[in-house]
């Protein structure tokens, strides 16, 4: 843990995969991004440029062009930068309160941003133009209390959102219509516990970081519990961010919130 090249600070947020197959880490407390190979080698620091204030990256998503979408904890904004951290554009701020997780549907070009403070999800065009918001504050069907992360099922276009307060995931259509919940079950094994990071693989399976459960769970595309990915021996602590590789079977990359560690799991 530290601020040198290859070191991570004492507060890490999301992870995502670059187009080159590297892991992109939101090094929140060091005001930067870092990329690593899956083996943890060849660290590259990405310092932001073109900004009036330091950037505190929460979560990222990578476009087909290799540009990086970032939610910023300092300015409470969403922006697009190039692979070297140079600002390209800000997104429309009018509807943003406290942006958290972010995902892009490369099939339709829509960008989905979780707004932790407004208890909803905003949809934008890649140009940054606001389209609409969906979900409302509450614990009823399809509602959100403290949403955290978002991912896309690229087979269906469905949008999957984690929520810390209601302790499960909500699944919506690409337009924001509620479909069903994941992890809202009495079965202890399949029950979410303060879910944070979420990701999907090519088959549509869903992976979720249970921050307080200190584990990662896998569900099928319909929300049925499959298995736990890690084991007690892995000593996973406060998992916060997650992404998966494109190969099959995929590898699961998980960031720990406070340890400065990234852990990679095979299936």
């Amino acid at each position: 843990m530290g601020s040198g090249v290859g070191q991570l600070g004492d507060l890490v947020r999301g992870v995502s995969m670059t187009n080159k197959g590297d892991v992109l880490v939101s090094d929140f407390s060091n005001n930067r991004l870092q990329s690593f190979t899956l083996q943890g080698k060849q660290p590259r620091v990405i310092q932001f440029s073109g900004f009036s204030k330091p950037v505190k990256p929460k979560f990222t998503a990578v476009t087909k062009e290799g540009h990086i979408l970032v939610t910023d904890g300092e300015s409470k904004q969403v922006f697009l930068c190039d692979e070297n951290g140079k600002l390209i554009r800000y997104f429309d701020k009018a509807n943003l309160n406290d942006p958290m997780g972010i995902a892009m549907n490369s099939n339709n070009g829509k960008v989905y941003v979780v707004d932790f403070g407004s208890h909803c999800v905003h949809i934008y065009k890649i140009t940054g133009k606001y389209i609409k918001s969906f979900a409302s504050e509450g614990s009823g069907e399809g509602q959100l209390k403290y949403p955290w992360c978002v991912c896309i099922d690229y087979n269906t276009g469905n949008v999957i959102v984690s929520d810390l307060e209601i302790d499960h995931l909500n699944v919506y259509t690409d337009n924001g219509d509620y479909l069903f919940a994941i992890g809202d079950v009495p079965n202890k094994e399949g029950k979410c516990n303060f879910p944070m990071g979420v990701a999907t693989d090519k088959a549509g399976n869903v992976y979720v970081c249970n921050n307080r459960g200190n584990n990662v769970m896998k569900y099928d595309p319909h929300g049925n519990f499959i298995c736990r990915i890690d084991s007690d021996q892995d000593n996973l602590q406060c998992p916060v961010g997650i992404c998966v590789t494109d190969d099959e079977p995929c590898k699961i990359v998980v960031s720990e919130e406070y340890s400065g560690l990234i852990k990679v799991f095979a299936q």
Side-chain angles (χ1 to χ4, degrees):
M1 190 182 300
S3 58
V5 176
Q7 295 180 317
L8 296 173
D10 57 5
L11 184 56
V12 172
R13 289 304 190 201
V15 287
S16 59
M17 298 301 301
T18 72
N19 296 347
K20 299 175 182 177
D22 292 333
V23 179
L24 187 65
V25 183
S26 295
D27 194 359
F28 183 88
S29 55
N30 283 327
N31 304 333
R32 65 189 186 184
L33 302 174
Q34 283 200 76
S35 67
F36 302 83
T37 66
L38 276 173
Q39 294 74 36
K41 307 296 184 181
Q42 301 174 20
R44 185 172 80 92
V45 172
I46 301 174
Q47 298 284 6
F48 296 103
S49 61
F51 299 86
S52 59
K53 295 181 179 180
V55 173
K56 289 194 170 294
K58 291 181 178 178
F59 292 90
T60 61
V62 180
T63 70
K64 286 181 177 179
E65 297 77 21
H67 295 156
I68 306 169
L69 292 155
V70 182
T71 54
D72 179 15
E74 179 68 26
S75 67
K76 308 294 185 184
Q77 288 185 263
V78 176
F79 63 82
L80 181 71
C81 65
D82 68 14
E83 63 180 4
N84 297 312
K86 183 179 179 180
L87 177 65
I88 296 175
R89 73 177 67 94
Y90 280 107
F91 275 40
D92 182 2
K93 191 181 179 182
N95 300 283
L96 284 173
N97 185 337
D98 188 3
M100 192 66 68
I102 189 166
M104 181 176 180
N105 186 330
S106 56
N107 294 321
N108 61 22
K110 292 179 179 177
V111 177
Y112 298 84
V113 179
V114 169
D115 196 327
F116 184 84
S118 294
H119 320 281
C120 68
V121 178
H122 305 302
I123 307 177
Y124 296 87
K125 294 181 178 180
I126 190 60
T127 59
K129 183 178 179 181
Y130 171 77
I131 299 175
K132 63 174 288 187
S133 303
F134 64 86
S136 60
E137 182 180 3
S139 54
E141 191 173 83
Q143 291 185 303
L144 298 169
K145 288 281 281 186
Y146 293 110
W148 187 264
C149 237
V150 60
C151 67
I152 309 295
D153 180 337
Y154 292 100
N155 297 309
T156 63
N158 290 344
V159 181
I160 303 156
V161 182
S162 62
D163 192 296
L164 310 181
E165 179 71 18
I166 60 177
D167 256 0
H168 63 248
L169 316 180
N170 280 341
V171 182
Y172 307 86
T173 67
D174 65 343
N175 200 43
D177 299 317
Y178 175 73
L179 294 173
F180 58 91
I182 295 177
D184 186 19
V185 291
N187 179 358
K188 184 178 179 180
E189 270 197 320
K191 175 68 176 173
C192 286
N193 186 355
F194 215 66
M196 286 192 166
V198 288
T200 56
D201 62 21
K202 285 185 174 180
N205 296 311
V206 180
Y207 303 82
V208 57
C209 293
N210 282 320
N211 186 263
R212 289 182 179 167
N214 295 316
N215 56 42
V216 174
M217 299 297 194
K218 179 180 180 180
Y219 302 83
D220 72 16
H222 307 288
N224 300 305
F225 176 68
I226 297 176
C227 65
R228 178 180 171 183
I229 293 298
D230 65 307
S231 67
D232 289 342
Q233 289 69 37
D234 296 316
N235 195 30
L236 194 60
Q237 296 295 316
C238 300
V240 61
I242 189 169
C243 62
V244 301
T245 60
D246 283 338
D247 53 340
E248 296 182 18
C250 69
K251 298 177 181 64
I252 300 100
V253 183
V254 180
S255 56
E256 293 187 338
E257 195 167 12
Y258 306 113
S259 69
L261 295 176
I262 306 297
K263 296 183 177 179
V264 181
F265 298 91
Q267 298 188 75

